[in-house]
Amino acid sequence: MGRKALIDQDELRRLAGEGLSNAELAARFGVSESGILQAKRAAGLSKPMLDHSRAIPWKLDRSHSQSGPATNLRNLSSVAQGRAIPAEKLNTALRWADRLVAGGLDVAYEPERGFREVPAGAGRSLIQRVLAEALSALEPTQD
């Protein structure tokens, strides 16, 4: 069993700030890229992972993970969690969600069939909730 490599966090911050890639950093410190990713997390250099489980409460089949509904839900979830996304992607997701809510629709998911639009239930639909969370996060930036 080898000893744990020591990565100087100040040096890591400096080199990462200069734009070195993870592969270049790994070679410089003599560790794997995974080791660099772990060191970046420990040094606070990585963005926290987003949790999209509130917006996508299903285990998606791989073939559906990049579909329009999945992408729109992830984008709205990202905004709700404070992440900036390109305006074009945000506008697409907002228009999609607005259309569903205005039409009294929600989304359902089945691994065999994928996403489909369904009538919204009597309570607040998934789309209504995700849209409301995204809009709430956007409020401070709008005039």
Side-chain angles (χ1 to χ4, degrees):
M1 190 162 122
R3 70 174 179 83
K4 188 173 180 178
L6 296 177
I7 297 177
D8 181 278
Q9 289 189 349
D10 290 332
E11 181 72 359
L12 177 62
R13 280 188 191 90
R14 186 182 68 74
L15 294 171
E18 290 178 7
L20 269 69
S21 70
N22 288 339
E24 292 168 326
L25 291 167
R28 176 77 62 103
F29 288 106
V31 299
S32 66
E33 287 186 51
S34 176
I36 290 297
L37 291 173
Q38 290 175 23
K40 280 183 161 183
R41 271 193 298 277
L45 297 174
S46 297
K47 292 180 183 175
M49 294 286 291
L50 297 180
D51 179 4
H52 299 303
S53 61
R54 283 182 51 79
I56 305 175
W58 312 278
K59 170 99 171 93
L60 300 184
D61 184 80
R62 185 180 196 132
S63 64
H64 303 133
S65 65
Q66 298 301 315
S67 67
T71 299
N72 287 329
L73 287 168
R74 263 193 312 278
N75 286 336
L76 292 171
S77 174
S78 294
V79 168
Q81 295 178 64
R83 187 78 43 95
I85 65 169
E88 180 179 305
K89 291 181 178 187
L90 175 60
N91 290 334
T92 297
L94 290 171
R95 280 194 313 272
W96 172 77
D98 278 336
R99 178 185 62 80
L100 290 175
V101 170
L105 298 171
D106 200 0
V107 292
Y109 177 77
E110 295 174 27
E112 308 81 35
R113 296 175 57 188
F115 286 94
R116 67 187 200 294
E117 296 177 4
V118 296
R124 199 161 164 189
S125 73
L126 172 72
I127 295 297
Q128 282 178 308
R129 182 177 48 76
V130 172
L131 177 59
E133 290 172 2
L135 291 173
S136 177
L138 291 170
E139 280 178 5
T141 61
Q142 294 179 341
D143 292 333

